[in-house]
């Protein structure tokens, strides 16, 4: 897309997701992801109902009337969006592709972090790390993240979740809130996820299309693997073929859920034709 079209699309996503983060997710995000503790802010005169344990006795003695210490939450949190941009994300049988929903969810999360004055960073990955944007604050930075999500063209169409997690662990030395957004049609990332989950607060958001769960009976159909480009003639009339595919998909989903749960990480499923707003809000409330 040209620059004008790109800016128009960025603006459209900003308006939609900013509204969501301002009115719905900002507060939920704040209460779900706590800061590192409480830090001293100021002292003020004692008011009826204040906890007597918060009285600052030094200041009280100096002014000969009671003063209390005021503390506020020390946040300074960092959010990392780890986004799958492999070939399988360019799929959708309803109004939107998986990658479009992933972009909207990422933007909503980024604006929620922005509203709480937290830093946001981005890792785009295929079977390699395609792009790393270090965490920063500010609206301009968030808009750059959205532009990259919309415009970036990966070098590879394949997927390697373990590689992305390994890179994240190496570049992020301090604890971060991590959202991994993918369809998770992958395996062999259990060991790496366990290491990442011990260091960071990780949530896997699986975005999928209903047609990925079951192949409809359409007769002989030529299908293409989005990640390898391989073409194959598939007899979808065969019950055995449909069952084999459904079983393969089920195994991948179970692997995702079991692996994330065992590693102490959060899991969230979001189908492209469902409301990700309800799903995210429900997840934040459960976490909170």
């Amino acid at each position: 897309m040209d620059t004008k079209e790109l800016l128009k699309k960025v603006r459209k996503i900003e308006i939609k997701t900013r509204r969501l983060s301002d009115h719905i997710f900002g507060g939920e995000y704040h209460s779900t992801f706590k800061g590192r503790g409480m830090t001293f802010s100021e002292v003020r005169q004692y008011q009826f109902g204040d906890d007597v344990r918060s009285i600052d006795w030094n200041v009280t003695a100096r002014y000969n009337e009671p003063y209390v210490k005021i503390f506020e939450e020390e946040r300074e949190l960092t959010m990392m969006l780890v986004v799958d941009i492999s070939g399988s994300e360019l799929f959708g049988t309803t109004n939107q592709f998986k990658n479009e929903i992933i972009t909207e969810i990422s933007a909503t999360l980024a604006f929620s972090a922005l509203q709480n004055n937290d830093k946001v960073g981005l890792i785009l990955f295929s079977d390699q790390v395609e792009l790393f944007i270090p965490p920063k604050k500010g609206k301009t930075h968030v808009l750059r993240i959205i532009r990259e999500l919309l415009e970036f063209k990966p070098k590879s169409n394949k997927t390697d979740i373990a590689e992305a997690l390994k890179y994240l662990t190496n570049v992020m030395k301090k604890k971060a809130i991590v959202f991994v957004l993918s369809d998770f049609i992958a395996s062999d990332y259990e060991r790496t996820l366990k290491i990442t989950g011990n260091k960071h607060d990780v949530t896997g958001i699986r975005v999928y299309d209903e047609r990925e769960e079951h192949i409809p009976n359409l007769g002989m159909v030529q299908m293409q693997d989005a990640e390898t480009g391989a073409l194959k003639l598939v007899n979808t009339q065969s019950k055995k073929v449909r069952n084999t595919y459904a079983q393969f998909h089920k195994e991948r989903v179970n692997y995702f859920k079991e692996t994330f749960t065992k590693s102490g990480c959060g899991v969230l499923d979001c189908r492209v034709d469902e409301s990700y707003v309800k799903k995210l809000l429900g997840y934040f409330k459960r976490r909170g």
Side-chain angles (χ1 to χ4, degrees):
M1 63 182 88
D2 59 30
T3 307
K4 191 177 178 181
E5 191 184 348
L6 175 65
L7 291 173
K8 191 177 175 182
K9 208 160 186 178
V10 169
R11 181 65 180 150
K12 188 178 177 183
I13 288 176
E14 181 195 356
I15 291 168
K16 180 178 181 179
T17 58
R18 187 77 183 260
R19 196 183 300 127
L20 290 172
S21 61
D22 286 351
H23 294 96
I24 302 174
F25 296 116
E28 292 295 339
Y29 169 89
H30 184 96
S31 59
T32 302
F33 302 105
K34 304 294 183 185
R36 292 188 297 236
M38 304 301 287
T39 183
F40 174 73
S41 174
E42 60 180 338
V43 292
R44 63 162 170 77
Q45 283 183 301
Y46 178 86
Q47 296 172 2
F48 179 76
D50 284 341
D51 190 339
V52 294
R53 290 173 296 182
S54 64
I55 291 176
D56 187 321
W57 294 107
N58 290 328
V59 178
T60 297
R62 193 181 309 146
Y63 290 100
N64 205 27
E65 59 179 310
Y67 275 78
V68 292
K69 293 178 181 177
I70 303 299
F71 293 86
E72 59 185 29
E73 186 183 358
E74 185 186 4
R75 285 193 63 85
E76 190 60 34
L77 299 178
T78 298
M79 177 196 287
M80 284 301 301
L81 300 168
V82 183
V83 179
D84 182 356
I85 54 169
S86 62
S88 63
E89 304 308 327
L90 296 168
F91 179 79
T93 58
T94 53
N95 293 331
Q96 288 181 292
F97 290 154
K98 288 185 285 183
N99 67 328
E100 292 174 317
I101 297 294
I102 284 173
T103 297
E104 286 191 19
I105 294 173
S106 298
T108 303
L109 292 169
F111 278 122
S112 297
L114 174 67
Q115 192 182 344
N116 285 279
N117 202 33
D118 293 339
K119 295 178 182 177
V120 191
L122 176 70
I123 292 175
L124 299 180
F125 74 94
S126 53
D127 61 348
Q128 58 189 290
V129 171
E130 301 270 359
L131 177 70
F132 170 57
I133 299 178
K136 279 176 65 178
K137 296 180 182 181
K139 181 183 171 183
T140 304
H141 179 69
V142 170
L143 291 177
R144 185 204 164 184
I145 284 173
I146 296 171
R147 282 199 305 272
E148 295 292 358
L149 285 163
L150 285 169
E151 196 182 35
F152 192 86
K153 298 289 185 289
K155 298 183 186 76
S156 172
N157 287 323
K158 297 178 182 177
T159 312
D160 190 336
I161 293 170
E163 190 63 32
L165 295 174
K166 208 179 295 178
Y167 184 89
L168 171 76
T169 306
N170 289 335
V171 295
M172 298 301 296
K173 302 303 177 188
K174 292 182 181 178
K175 184 176 180 178
I177 300 161
V178 178
F179 289 97
V180 186
L181 296 102
S182 172
D183 53 19
F184 290 96
I185 305 175
S187 57
D188 300 328
Y189 53 84
E190 185 173 359
R191 184 171 167 273
T192 319
L193 181 62
K194 197 168 186 180
I195 295 166
T196 308
N198 284 334
K199 187 176 179 182
H200 302 291
D201 184 339
V202 183
T203 299
I205 301 180
R206 184 176 75 95
V207 177
Y208 68 101
D209 189 283
E210 63 177 333
R211 287 297 182 207
E212 291 175 315
E213 295 179 299
H214 302 284
I215 298 177
N217 184 351
L218 300 170
M220 294 296 290
V221 178
Q222 190 177 55
M223 294 187 177
Q224 183 177 33
D225 189 314
E227 299 201 354
T228 65
L231 290 167
K232 192 173 184 180
L233 202 60
V234 179
N235 181 13
T236 62
Q237 281 182 319
S238 167
K239 195 173 180 179
K240 185 181 176 183
V241 168
R242 295 200 304 273
N243 288 344
T244 301
Y245 176 83
Q247 184 59 32
F248 167 80
H249 188 270
K250 189 179 179 182
E251 285 170 4
R252 287 289 182 269
V253 174
N254 289 342
Y255 178 80
F256 157 67
K257 290 182 177 178
E258 288 169 11
T259 302
F260 269 75
T261 304
K262 281 181 189 174
S263 303
C265 305
V267 292
L268 181 60
D269 282 323
C270 187
R271 210 169 70 190
V272 292
D273 59 332
E274 293 178 328
S275 169
Y276 66 81
V277 176
K278 288 181 181 176
K279 291 293 182 81
L280 274 178
L281 198 55
Y283 178 72
F284 282 174
K285 285 183 182 294
R286 289 195 302 274
R287 282 283 308 258

